[in-house]
Every structure is written in structure tokens, then in C-alpha cells.
Amino acid sequence: MSRRSGILEFAILGLLRESPMHGYELRKRLNTSLGVFRAFSYGSLYPCLKTLVGQGWLIEEPGSTAQDPLAAPLAGRRAKIVYRLTAEGKEHFEELLSQTGPDAYEDEHFAARFAFFGQTSRDVRMRVLEGRRGRLEERLEKMRASLSRTRERLDSYTLELQRHGMESVEREVRWLNELIESERAGRNQRQQDEDAAPTATGGTAQQDTSGPSGGLPRSGETRPDPSDDSTK
């Protein structure tokens, strides 16, 4: 499996964990919620869905068109198929969420992983964020060294382009620092609250770091409306 196919499978499983969807709706969510997938097409999506069905991680179900007035003309003669996550698929997705190796913080995969941080444990989030920051700091050091060696040989436009690239990496490092500090602040506050809370036996509560909620400030989450389109 290619890395890009693996990212697509991960994102599909994550979206279907929220609710069953048909193919067009999945494509819309991939494009609008996970911008890294804008380049994907039906040609990539449906073979991936078929693979996941074959592995037992998804099942296909006939969709209802009673509340979908646009589905019939767009679907043509073919019935709309809804994809649903199986128990095995949910277990597999949770295994993927727990992974913190280099693939978790490479450029494209990190964006997909971050989109599902709300379903990820705090400890895993921290390891992924710190891994991403370390990778970018290494990249920034190499960019600075390269610029220092070649500065005198570059024209002004090429020099500005390299500076722009460095500034983009620096901004992401600052953003990651803020996220990591927010996660730590949330963990520390929860630790203090639980240490101060008496248990039923008169002791103090133990810290629980397995849940998905963390130190990030919560903002209203806007989910796209269900799509009205059809299938392959």
C-alpha cells in the first residue's frame, strides 16, 4: 500500500466512525474537512472503498432516497450505496490512531491525523505533536544552513522564495509550540482537579490520560450538511 493510499484509508475510516455515508458525501467531507484530499477523485475513492469492504472494515448497505430528492437524477439507474464501519473497522481505526511513528507526523499524514485529534488520546496527541515539531526543527536547521552557504549565489527572487519557505516552517513551529503548551496546561489542570477530588474510599483520584479531551480551547465545530448525491 502506498503512503497516500494509507492516508486515504485512514481518513475514510475516521469519517465513517462518525456516521455512515455514501460515496459522494464521503468525497465532499474529504474535500471540505480535510483539505489535503482535494486532489483525490472518484477514481481514487471508490477502489479504496472496495478494498476496505473486502478487508471487512466496511459494509455496503442500500441507501434511502426518500429524504434525498437530488439523489435519483444524479444516481441514474444505480441505487445509492451507504458505507458503514464494522466493529473490525472501528478496532482497526483505533489501532491506527494509537500509532506515533514517523508516518504520523509527515506532511500529508500529519494533516489527516490532526483532523481526528478529537478521537485521539492525550498521550498520543502529545507524541505526534512533539514528533512533528522535531521534524520541522530539523528541516528548518537544514534550510538555514543551505541558505547560509548559497546566499551569495542566489538572485533576489530565489532568495525571497527560500526566505518565504523558512518563514512558513517557523510559523508552523510556533503553532505547534502553542498546541503543545495548551495540551500540557489541560493535562496539568486535570491532574490538579483529580488529585484534589476525594474518591469513594476517602483517597484522591488518579489521573486518567486515556480520554480524547485535552487542553485545546474548544470552538464550535461546524459539520457539513449531509450531501444529496449518489454513488458509483
Side-chain angles (χ1 to χ4, degrees):
M1 180 197 310
S2 69
R3 175 177 295 176
R4 196 159 174 81
S5 297
I7 300 170
L8 181 58
E9 290 187 3
F10 173 83
I12 289 172
L13 294 173
L15 290 174
L16 291 178
R17 191 186 186 192
E18 299 175 3
S19 64
M21 301 180 199
H22 55 78
Y24 182 83
E25 184 178 4
L26 266 171
R27 185 190 179 196
K28 184 177 178 181
R29 289 292 304 277
L30 288 168
N31 289 341
T32 58
S33 301
L34 307 174
V36 68
F37 295 101
R38 290 194 182 100
F40 280 91
S41 65
Y42 280 111
S44 301
L45 177 60
Y46 282 96
C48 186
L49 287 169
K50 294 298 182 183
T51 297
L52 295 176
V53 170
Q55 290 170 328
W57 296 332
L58 302 182
I59 58 174
E60 296 177 331
E61 299 176 337
S64 171
T65 59
Q67 298 178 346
D68 196 354
L70 296 181
L74 290 174
R77 298 179 179 179
R78 305 189 66 176
K80 183 172 66 172
I81 296 175
V82 171
Y83 296 89
R84 182 185 299 273
L85 196 66
T86 63
E88 292 80 5
K90 181 178 179 181
E91 182 178 352
H92 178 63
F93 179 68
E94 290 171 352
E95 290 175 359
L96 294 177
L97 279 181
S98 69
Q99 296 177 4
T100 59
D103 280 351
Y105 42 81
E106 292 294 344
D107 291 345
E108 290 184 345
H109 209 160
F110 174 74
R113 285 297 301 269
F114 190 82
F116 295 100
F117 262 23
Q119 303 180 43
T120 307
S121 71
R122 180 182 297 107
D123 288 344
V124 171
R125 288 198 303 264
M126 285 292 291
R127 288 196 291 272
V128 173
L129 289 172
E130 289 171 345
R132 176 66 176 173
R133 180 176 63 180
R135 178 60 52 85
L136 290 182
E137 287 174 340
E138 292 174 2
R139 185 182 302 173
L140 192 58
E141 183 177 352
K142 292 178 181 178
M143 293 173 73
R144 287 170 174 163
S146 175
L147 183 61
S148 178
R149 291 193 304 268
T150 61
R151 182 188 301 271
E152 299 302 324
R153 301 194 300 271
L154 299 177
D155 62 59
S156 59
Y157 295 102
T158 304
L159 185 62
E160 284 303 314
L161 184 61
Q162 292 204 9
R163 285 175 175 168
H164 173 70
M166 287 178 54
E167 289 172 0
S168 297
V169 177
E170 289 169 345
R171 282 196 299 272
E172 186 170 350
V173 170
R174 289 195 297 270
W175 174 67
L176 289 166
N177 286 334
E178 293 172 359
L179 292 174
I180 290 170
E181 288 306 312
S182 294
E183 290 285 348
R184 287 175 177 164
R187 179 173 58 189
N188 293 339
Q189 183 60 51
R190 183 169 180 175
Q191 175 76 67
Q192 294 172 7
D193 294 343
E194 293 183 348
D195 286 346
T199 65
T201 58
T204 56
Q206 298 296 315
Q207 181 185 16
D208 176 16
T209 61
S210 62
S213 59
L216 288 176
R218 298 286 182 173
S219 61
E221 181 182 356
T222 302
R223 299 180 181 276
D225 292 334
S227 178
D228 295 328
D229 210 348
S230 63
T231 64
K232 281 270 179 184

